[in-house]
Amino acid sequence: MDSILVRGGRSLSGAIPIAGAKNACLTLMPATLLSEEPLTLTNAPRLSDIRTMTELLRSLGAEVSTLQDGRVITMSSHAANNHIADYEIVRKMRASNLVLGPMLARHGHAVVSLPGGCAIGARPMDLHVTALEALGAEIELRDGYLHASAPNGLKGAVHELRFASVGATENTVMAATLAKGTTVLKNAAREPEIVDLVHCLKAMGAQIDGEGTSTITVEGVDRLHGATHPVVADRIELGTYMLAPAIAGGEVELLGGRLDLVAALAEKLDEAGISVSETPGGLSVARRNGRVRAVDVVTEVYPGFPTDLQAQMMALLATADGTSVLEERIFENRFMHAPELMRMGARIEVHGGTATVTGVERLKGAPVMATDLRASVSLILAGLGASGETIVSRVYHLDRGYERVEHKLSAVGARIERVRADG
Ligand code: UD1
């Protein structure tokens, strides 16, 4: 398995282009199942998770082709008549569950494997199931698969999610586009990826209101047509690379970055003493002097501080002046990067969902192991600011969500390279 070698201690300077959002693309792709006509996505990221979704859609009978080295994805589901999302694909990636709502809406039935255990907590699907049941679906769990059917078609309903789940909101909104009548989804998630999905569904002819607020209203239509849609910028990739100069020092411009997508992070960086400014091409982040200040962080649903940036923020706070408290409220068990950062000299105490980080002057490079996608990139960031060499192993997690990370960081002066497992 490949590793990433980082030789720390170089300040960064230059520009990094931000790709289209993985999490938006992973919900936009299943939207193809709602229509017989082609759906084209531009600004798609080139990631292994996107290849997994491609494999899943093909297994369902959809045609998927890519252009411009994967930047453009064209899909057509006119012949998609298999309705079983197999465990062998679903287990690789939880977002596979986003085919459930569209398949059910278009065909009246769907069989989708439960994703199974995940390194960052239990991540059940009860919220997806109760919301689709509210629309008239009958769903039962047999042999590890959710068997869903809507013998009389889906019908619009008023439903309130117990928690503003991103995936449950996406599945429900997609299903409701083809349901009979009006669906009002309350306590809906407000993440920018949901707004992006709704923009695409509207381009396909769906009638939806309230995206970006906690009440989304969907007026069902008989059919959706084809569309071309550009994928929104990846706010997690953006936030990750904003933290690179914050940790290593220097100034980096994030091309295509939007401040509104990362307002909660920008606020915390400002508190810590890092400057964030808008430029004509995106955002610029600079750390000019001394250590950053300690700040407290609580992860919350959007527009709060994203859980997907918590590990990277911890890498910054590991060398802050003072003690920071990080509270993880979205996922249980999402501090697996803490012991790895401690191998690099970080002082962190974890109690349940709270990590207390007492900043040290500098981390020291060490061999470390990544346990999930965001944890792996946090170790790379920590390595950029550390003395000596950091080797991050098991980087297949990284390739799920970050496009050419070593190229993007070396282009701004980092000493980073991929060490191929085969030598
Ligand atoms: C999405 C993102 C992921 C991000 C997360 C939270 C994608 C592909 N992934 O994941 O990167 O970390 O949002 O911002 O977009 N829950 C339940 N029952 C359910 C569904 C969820 O209890 O039916 C719980 C989960 O266990 C978790 C919390 O709700 O504790 C948040 O999950 P959710 O918002 O659904 O995240 P995902 O859509 O899986």
Side-chain angles (χ1 to χ4, degrees):
M1 231 173 278
D2 295 356
S3 326
I4 297 277
L5 168 65
V6 184
R7 294 188 180 88
R10 273 264 188 107
S11 76
L12 308 179
S13 145
I16 297 179
I18 300 304
K22 166 180 88 75
N23 286 351
C25 207
L26 288 176
T27 186
L28 289 162
M29 291 176 74
T32 185
L33 297 169
L34 290 164
S35 171
E36 298 211 331
E37 295 178 19
L39 173 63
T40 296
L41 301 175
T42 60
N43 194 37
R46 292 168 294 185
L47 301 168
S48 65
D49 269 8
I50 302 301
R51 289 191 286 278
T52 303
M53 184 56 85
T54 300
E55 190 190 345
L56 175 61
L57 292 174
R58 284 186 179 143
S59 78
L60 299 174
E63 289 166 11
V64 185
S65 58
T66 55
L67 282 172
Q68 294 177 22
D69 199 19
R71 284 267 170 264
V72 175
I73 304 175
T74 295
M75 297 158 292
S76 174
S77 296
H78 64 275
N81 46 20
N82 177 19
H83 58 274
I84 302 175
D86 195 83
Y87 177 63
E88 283 312 309
I89 304 178
V90 176
R91 70 184 175 86
K92 291 189 197 167
M93 183 179 73
R94 177 177 164 85
S96 306
N97 63 19
L98 294 169
V99 299
L100 174 61
M103 278 203 289
L104 187 58
R106 170 118 172 264
H107 301 299
H109 48 256
V111 178
V112 177
S113 167
L114 270 188
C118 165
I120 60 171
R123 305 185 86 176
M125 279 194 65
D126 54 317
L127 299 168
H128 302 239
V129 168
T130 45
L132 294 172
E133 282 175 345
L135 299 187
E138 292 169 9
I139 304 181
E140 52 174 10
L141 178 63
R142 283 202 311 267
D143 310 324
Y145 283 76
L146 291 173
H147 293 251
S149 63
N152 305 313
L154 294 175
K155 290 196 183 62
V158 178
H159 181 72
E160 179 163 348
L161 291 173
R162 174 177 54 76
F163 171 82
S165 152
V166 174
T169 301
E170 292 166 343
N171 249 331
T172 312
V173 167
M174 285 192 277
T177 58
L178 294 179
K180 283 204 171 56
T182 309
T183 298
V184 180
L185 186 65
K186 297 184 178 172
N187 197 26
R190 290 178 284 167
E191 270 67 3
E193 293 74 26
I194 291 166
V195 175
D196 201 40
L197 170 66
V198 170
H199 287 170
C200 177
L201 293 171
K202 283 180 173 174
M204 295 168 74
Q207 291 189 19
I208 309 174
D209 236 357
E211 67 276 16
T213 77
S214 46
T215 302
I216 300 180
T217 305
V218 186
E219 200 69 56
V221 295
D222 287 341
R223 56 183 293 279
L224 294 181
H225 51 73
T228 296
H229 175 83
V231 180
V232 66
D234 193 318
R235 65 195 167 96
I236 305 302
E237 189 196 33
L238 171 61
T240 300
Y241 290 129
M242 287 168 74
L243 282 159
I247 290 172
E251 177 160 8
V252 171
E253 188 180 12
L254 295 319
L255 301 173
R258 273 170 39 196
L259 192 54
D260 63 302
L261 295 174
V262 283
L265 171 66
E267 202 176 295
K268 288 294 164 189
L269 288 179
D270 182 56
E271 248 182 78
I274 303 289
S275 109
V276 179
S277 52
E278 293 186 88
T279 63
L283 289 182
S284 180
V285 176
R287 170 168 160 196
R288 294 203 177 83
N289 38 25
R291 284 172 76 181
V292 296
R293 289 187 289 275
V295 293
D296 295 340
V297 175
V298 179
T299 65
E300 283 167 309
V301 295
Y302 189 85
F305 192 95
T307 175
D308 287 351
L309 288 173
Q310 178 259 107
Q312 301 90 311
M313 190 68 183
M314 189 184 282
L316 172 70
L317 298 176
T319 58
D321 188 8
T323 299
S324 311
V325 177
L326 280 108
E327 205 184 316
E328 173 56 58
R329 290 205 188 150
I330 306 296
F331 291 110
E332 72 228 55
N333 195 18
R334 202 177 195 181
F335 285 134
M336 277 102 57
H337 42 284
E340 300 299 314
L341 289 170
M342 286 160 76
R343 304 191 66 242
M344 300 175 71
R347 287 176 57 198
I348 304 168
E349 276 179 43
V350 175
H351 291 290
T354 302
T356 305
V357 183
T358 305
V360 296
E361 192 88 33
R362 190 138 203 218
L363 297 181
K364 293 192 187 72
V368 285
M369 180 135 58
T371 44
D372 69 55
L373 169 57
R374 308 306 173 184
S376 38
V377 85
S378 79
L379 298 171
I380 290 177
L381 292 179
L384 294 176
S387 60
E389 286 189 2
T390 299
I391 298 180
V392 185
S393 53
R394 282 213 196 171
V395 292
Y396 65 91
H397 291 294
L398 195 70
D399 298 328
R400 289 187 42 208
Y402 290 92
E403 197 181 282
R404 293 155 53 89
V405 69
E406 64 277 24
H407 293 94
K408 289 192 178 187
L409 285 171
S410 52
V412 293
R415 285 176 298 185
I416 175 168
E417 62 189 86
R418 181 175 292 253
V419 182
R420 300 273 171 203
D422 53 13

